[in-house]
Short mmCIF file of all heavy atoms in Angstrom, two decimals:
data_model
loop_
_atom_site.label_atom_id
_atom_site.label_comp_id
_atom_site.label_asym_id
_atom_site.label_seq_id
_atom_site.Cartn_x
_atom_site.Cartn_y
_atom_site.Cartn_z
N ARG A 1 -25.60 53.54 -9.45
CA ARG A 1 -26.12 52.21 -9.07
C ARG A 1 -27.42 52.35 -8.29
O ARG A 1 -28.36 51.55 -8.48
CB ARG A 1 -25.08 51.45 -8.25
CG ARG A 1 -23.87 51.00 -9.05
CD ARG A 1 -22.98 50.08 -8.23
NE ARG A 1 -21.82 49.64 -9.00
CZ ARG A 1 -20.67 50.30 -9.07
NH1 ARG A 1 -20.53 51.44 -8.41
NH2 ARG A 1 -19.67 49.83 -9.79
N GLU A 2 -27.50 53.33 -7.40
CA GLU A 2 -28.71 53.52 -6.60
C GLU A 2 -29.88 53.95 -7.49
O GLU A 2 -31.01 53.48 -7.32
CB GLU A 2 -28.47 54.58 -5.52
CG GLU A 2 -27.56 54.09 -4.40
CD GLU A 2 -27.15 55.21 -3.45
OE1 GLU A 2 -27.31 56.40 -3.82
OE2 GLU A 2 -26.67 54.90 -2.35
N ILE A 3 -29.62 54.81 -8.45
CA ILE A 3 -30.67 55.25 -9.37
C ILE A 3 -31.13 54.07 -10.23
O ILE A 3 -32.33 53.86 -10.45
CB ILE A 3 -30.17 56.40 -10.26
CG1 ILE A 3 -29.91 57.64 -9.40
CG2 ILE A 3 -31.19 56.73 -11.35
CD1 ILE A 3 -29.23 58.77 -10.14
N ALA A 4 -30.18 53.27 -10.72
CA ALA A 4 -30.53 52.09 -11.53
C ALA A 4 -31.39 51.12 -10.74
O ALA A 4 -32.40 50.62 -11.24
CB ALA A 4 -29.25 51.39 -12.01
N ALA A 5 -31.02 50.88 -9.49
CA ALA A 5 -31.78 49.95 -8.65
C ALA A 5 -33.19 50.47 -8.41
O ALA A 5 -34.16 49.70 -8.43
CB ALA A 5 -31.05 49.75 -7.31
N ALA A 6 -33.33 51.77 -8.20
CA ALA A 6 -34.65 52.36 -7.96
C ALA A 6 -35.53 52.29 -9.21
O ALA A 6 -36.73 52.00 -9.12
CB ALA A 6 -34.51 53.81 -7.50
N LEU A 7 -34.95 52.53 -10.37
CA LEU A 7 -35.72 52.43 -11.62
C LEU A 7 -36.18 51.00 -11.85
O LEU A 7 -37.33 50.76 -12.25
CB LEU A 7 -34.86 52.92 -12.80
CG LEU A 7 -34.59 54.42 -12.86
CD1 LEU A 7 -33.55 54.73 -13.94
CD2 LEU A 7 -35.87 55.20 -13.14
N ASN A 8 -35.28 50.03 -11.61
CA ASN A 8 -35.65 48.62 -11.77
C ASN A 8 -36.74 48.23 -10.78
O ASN A 8 -37.67 47.47 -11.12
CB ASN A 8 -34.43 47.73 -11.58
CG ASN A 8 -33.44 47.84 -12.73
OD1 ASN A 8 -33.83 48.09 -13.87
ND2 ASN A 8 -32.16 47.67 -12.45
N ALA A 9 -36.65 48.74 -9.54
CA ALA A 9 -37.65 48.42 -8.52
C ALA A 9 -39.03 48.95 -8.90
O ALA A 9 -40.05 48.36 -8.55
CB ALA A 9 -37.22 49.00 -7.17
N ARG A 10 -39.05 50.04 -9.65
CA ARG A 10 -40.33 50.62 -10.09
C ARG A 10 -40.86 49.95 -11.36
O ARG A 10 -41.92 50.30 -11.85
CB ARG A 10 -40.18 52.12 -10.35
CG ARG A 10 -39.87 52.94 -9.12
CD ARG A 10 -39.91 54.42 -9.42
NE ARG A 10 -39.59 55.22 -8.26
CZ ARG A 10 -39.94 56.50 -8.12
NH1 ARG A 10 -40.62 57.10 -9.08
NH2 ARG A 10 -39.60 57.19 -7.05
N GLY A 11 -40.10 49.02 -11.90
CA GLY A 11 -40.54 48.33 -13.11
C GLY A 11 -40.38 49.14 -14.38
O GLY A 11 -40.99 48.84 -15.40
N ILE A 12 -39.54 50.18 -14.33
CA ILE A 12 -39.33 51.04 -15.50
C ILE A 12 -38.20 50.46 -16.33
O ILE A 12 -37.13 50.13 -15.80
CB ILE A 12 -39.01 52.47 -15.05
CG1 ILE A 12 -40.22 53.06 -14.32
CG2 ILE A 12 -38.64 53.35 -16.25
CD1 ILE A 12 -39.94 54.36 -13.64
N ARG A 13 -38.40 50.36 -17.63
CA ARG A 13 -37.40 49.76 -18.51
C ARG A 13 -36.61 50.83 -19.24
O ARG A 13 -37.01 51.99 -19.32
CB ARG A 13 -38.09 48.84 -19.53
CG ARG A 13 -38.70 47.59 -18.91
CD ARG A 13 -39.45 46.80 -19.98
NE ARG A 13 -39.90 45.51 -19.50
CZ ARG A 13 -41.01 45.31 -18.80
NH1 ARG A 13 -41.77 46.34 -18.48
NH2 ARG A 13 -41.38 44.11 -18.41
N THR A 14 -35.48 50.41 -19.78
CA THR A 14 -34.68 51.29 -20.62
C THR A 14 -35.40 51.48 -21.95
O THR A 14 -36.42 50.86 -22.22
CB THR A 14 -33.30 50.69 -20.88
OG1 THR A 14 -33.45 49.48 -21.65
CG2 THR A 14 -32.57 50.36 -19.58
N ALA A 15 -34.84 52.35 -22.79
CA ALA A 15 -35.45 52.61 -24.10
C ALA A 15 -35.54 51.35 -24.94
O ALA A 15 -36.42 51.21 -25.79
CB ALA A 15 -34.66 53.69 -24.84
N ARG A 16 -34.63 50.39 -24.70
CA ARG A 16 -34.64 49.12 -25.45
C ARG A 16 -35.37 48.01 -24.72
O ARG A 16 -35.35 46.86 -25.14
CB ARG A 16 -33.20 48.69 -25.75
CG ARG A 16 -32.47 49.67 -26.68
CD ARG A 16 -31.11 49.16 -27.06
NE ARG A 16 -30.43 50.06 -27.99
CZ ARG A 16 -29.24 49.83 -28.51
NH1 ARG A 16 -28.58 48.71 -28.20
NH2 ARG A 16 -28.70 50.69 -29.34
N GLY A 17 -36.01 48.36 -23.60
CA GLY A 17 -36.81 47.38 -22.89
C GLY A 17 -36.06 46.52 -21.89
O GLY A 17 -36.60 45.52 -21.42
N GLY A 18 -34.82 46.90 -21.56
CA GLY A 18 -34.01 46.10 -20.64
C GLY A 18 -33.97 46.68 -19.23
O GLY A 18 -34.65 47.66 -18.92
N ASN A 19 -33.16 46.06 -18.39
CA ASN A 19 -32.96 46.54 -17.02
C ASN A 19 -31.92 47.66 -16.99
O ASN A 19 -31.12 47.82 -17.92
CB ASN A 19 -32.48 45.39 -16.11
CG ASN A 19 -33.57 44.36 -15.88
OD1 ASN A 19 -34.75 44.69 -15.80
ND2 ASN A 19 -33.18 43.10 -15.76
N TRP A 20 -31.94 48.41 -15.90
CA TRP A 20 -31.01 49.53 -15.75
C TRP A 20 -29.74 49.08 -15.03
O TRP A 20 -29.78 48.25 -14.12
CB TRP A 20 -31.68 50.64 -14.93
CG TRP A 20 -32.78 51.32 -15.67
CD1 TRP A 20 -34.11 51.00 -15.62
CD2 TRP A 20 -32.67 52.42 -16.57
NE1 TRP A 20 -34.83 51.83 -16.45
CE2 TRP A 20 -33.98 52.71 -17.04
CE3 TRP A 20 -31.59 53.17 -17.03
CZ2 TRP A 20 -34.23 53.73 -17.94
CZ3 TRP A 20 -31.84 54.19 -17.93
CH2 TRP A 20 -33.14 54.47 -18.38
N TYR A 21 -28.61 49.64 -15.46
CA TYR A 21 -27.32 49.45 -14.81
C TYR A 21 -26.68 50.83 -14.68
O TYR A 21 -27.18 51.82 -15.23
CB TYR A 21 -26.43 48.52 -15.63
CG TYR A 21 -27.03 47.14 -15.85
CD1 TYR A 21 -27.77 46.86 -16.99
CD2 TYR A 21 -26.89 46.14 -14.89
CE1 TYR A 21 -28.35 45.62 -17.19
CE2 TYR A 21 -27.47 44.89 -15.08
CZ TYR A 21 -28.18 44.64 -16.23
OH TYR A 21 -28.77 43.41 -16.42
N ALA A 22 -25.57 50.89 -13.96
CA ALA A 22 -24.89 52.17 -13.79
C ALA A 22 -24.55 52.79 -15.15
O ALA A 22 -24.69 53.99 -15.36
CB ALA A 22 -23.62 51.99 -12.95
N SER A 23 -24.11 51.94 -16.09
CA SER A 23 -23.72 52.44 -17.41
C SER A 23 -24.91 53.01 -18.18
O SER A 23 -24.79 54.05 -18.84
CB SER A 23 -23.07 51.33 -18.23
OG SER A 23 -23.96 50.23 -18.38
N THR A 24 -26.09 52.35 -18.11
CA THR A 24 -27.24 52.85 -18.84
C THR A 24 -27.80 54.12 -18.20
O THR A 24 -28.29 55.01 -18.89
CB THR A 24 -28.35 51.78 -18.93
OG1 THR A 24 -28.54 51.18 -17.64
CG2 THR A 24 -27.99 50.72 -19.94
N VAL A 25 -27.69 54.23 -16.88
CA VAL A 25 -28.10 55.47 -16.21
C VAL A 25 -27.17 56.60 -16.63
O VAL A 25 -27.60 57.72 -16.89
CB VAL A 25 -28.10 55.31 -14.67
CG1 VAL A 25 -28.35 56.65 -13.99
CG2 VAL A 25 -29.16 54.31 -14.25
N ARG A 26 -25.85 56.31 -16.70
CA ARG A 26 -24.88 57.33 -17.12
C ARG A 26 -25.21 57.82 -18.53
O ARG A 26 -25.19 59.02 -18.80
CB ARG A 26 -23.46 56.77 -17.08
CG ARG A 26 -22.38 57.81 -17.44
CD ARG A 26 -21.00 57.21 -17.52
NE ARG A 26 -20.57 56.63 -16.25
CZ ARG A 26 -20.46 55.33 -16.02
NH1 ARG A 26 -20.73 54.45 -16.99
NH2 ARG A 26 -20.05 54.89 -14.85
N ASN A 27 -25.53 56.89 -19.43
CA ASN A 27 -25.89 57.27 -20.80
C ASN A 27 -27.17 58.11 -20.81
O ASN A 27 -27.30 59.06 -21.58
CB ASN A 27 -26.09 56.03 -21.67
CG ASN A 27 -24.79 55.26 -21.88
OD1 ASN A 27 -23.71 55.82 -21.73
ND2 ASN A 27 -24.90 53.98 -22.19
N LEU A 28 -28.13 57.73 -19.97
CA LEU A 28 -29.38 58.48 -19.88
C LEU A 28 -29.13 59.92 -19.44
O LEU A 28 -29.64 60.87 -20.05
CB LEU A 28 -30.32 57.80 -18.88
CG LEU A 28 -31.57 58.60 -18.50
CD1 LEU A 28 -32.61 58.49 -19.60
CD2 LEU A 28 -32.14 58.14 -17.17
N LEU A 29 -28.32 60.09 -18.41
CA LEU A 29 -28.07 61.43 -17.86
C LEU A 29 -27.29 62.30 -18.83
O LEU A 29 -27.31 63.53 -18.71
CB LEU A 29 -27.32 61.32 -16.53
CG LEU A 29 -28.04 60.55 -15.41
CD1 LEU A 29 -27.22 60.56 -14.14
CD2 LEU A 29 -29.42 61.14 -15.16
N ALA A 30 -26.60 61.67 -19.78
CA ALA A 30 -25.81 62.43 -20.74
C ALA A 30 -26.64 62.96 -21.90
O ALA A 30 -26.16 63.79 -22.67
CB ALA A 30 -24.67 61.57 -21.28
N ARG A 31 -27.89 62.50 -22.02
CA ARG A 31 -28.70 62.90 -23.16
C ARG A 31 -29.33 64.26 -22.93
O ARG A 31 -29.60 64.64 -21.78
CB ARG A 31 -29.79 61.86 -23.44
CG ARG A 31 -29.26 60.47 -23.73
CD ARG A 31 -30.28 59.68 -24.52
NE ARG A 31 -30.37 60.15 -25.90
CZ ARG A 31 -29.56 59.73 -26.87
NH1 ARG A 31 -28.62 58.84 -26.63
NH2 ARG A 31 -29.71 60.19 -28.09
N PRO A 32 -29.63 65.00 -24.00
CA PRO A 32 -30.30 66.30 -23.87
C PRO A 32 -31.67 66.14 -23.21
O PRO A 32 -32.38 65.17 -23.47
CB PRO A 32 -30.46 66.77 -25.32
CG PRO A 32 -29.45 66.00 -26.09
CD PRO A 32 -29.31 64.68 -25.40
N GLY A 33 -32.01 67.07 -22.34
CA GLY A 33 -33.32 67.06 -21.70
C GLY A 33 -33.39 66.18 -20.48
O GLY A 33 -34.43 66.05 -19.85
N SER A 34 -32.26 65.52 -20.13
CA SER A 34 -32.26 64.67 -18.96
C SER A 34 -31.87 65.48 -17.73
O SER A 34 -31.86 66.71 -17.74
CB SER A 34 -31.30 63.49 -19.17
OG SER A 34 -31.46 62.56 -18.13
N VAL A 35 -31.49 64.79 -16.65
CA VAL A 35 -31.18 65.45 -15.39
C VAL A 35 -29.76 65.96 -15.40
O VAL A 35 -28.83 65.24 -15.79
CB VAL A 35 -31.36 64.45 -14.21
CG1 VAL A 35 -31.09 65.14 -12.90
CG2 VAL A 35 -32.77 63.88 -14.24
N SER A 36 -29.57 67.19 -15.00
CA SER A 36 -28.22 67.75 -14.94
C SER A 36 -27.62 67.51 -13.57
O SER A 36 -28.31 67.19 -12.62
CB SER A 36 -28.27 69.26 -15.25
OG SER A 36 -29.09 69.92 -14.30
N GLY A 37 -26.34 67.73 -13.46
CA GLY A 37 -25.67 67.56 -12.18
C GLY A 37 -24.80 66.33 -12.16
O GLY A 37 -25.05 65.35 -12.86
N ARG A 38 -23.77 66.36 -11.34
CA ARG A 38 -22.80 65.26 -11.30
C ARG A 38 -23.35 64.13 -10.43
O ARG A 38 -23.87 64.34 -9.35
CB ARG A 38 -21.48 65.76 -10.74
CG ARG A 38 -20.39 64.72 -10.76
CD ARG A 38 -19.08 65.32 -10.29
NE ARG A 38 -18.01 64.34 -10.30
CZ ARG A 38 -16.77 64.61 -9.91
NH1 ARG A 38 -16.46 65.83 -9.50
NH2 ARG A 38 -15.85 63.67 -9.95
#
């Protein structure tokens, strides 16, 4: 949630052009080449 809020505050959109939520951040982190760690 904190990461989603920070991305939204910076005006950065998701790949589909929407706002970030905990679920979309989770999906992002699960993709290859993204950030590792729990």
Side-chain angles (χ1 to χ4, degrees):
R1 289 188 180 88
E2 289 171 344
I3 294 171
L7 289 171
N8 289 329
R10 294 187 181 201
I12 296 170
R13 292 175 172 82
T14 65
R16 295 185 177 182
N19 291 326
W20 291 93
Y21 301 94
S23 58
T24 46
V25 173
R26 183 186 298 109
N27 294 338
L28 170 79
L29 300 182
R31 301 202 73 86
S34 189
V35 182
S36 60
R38 185 176 180 182

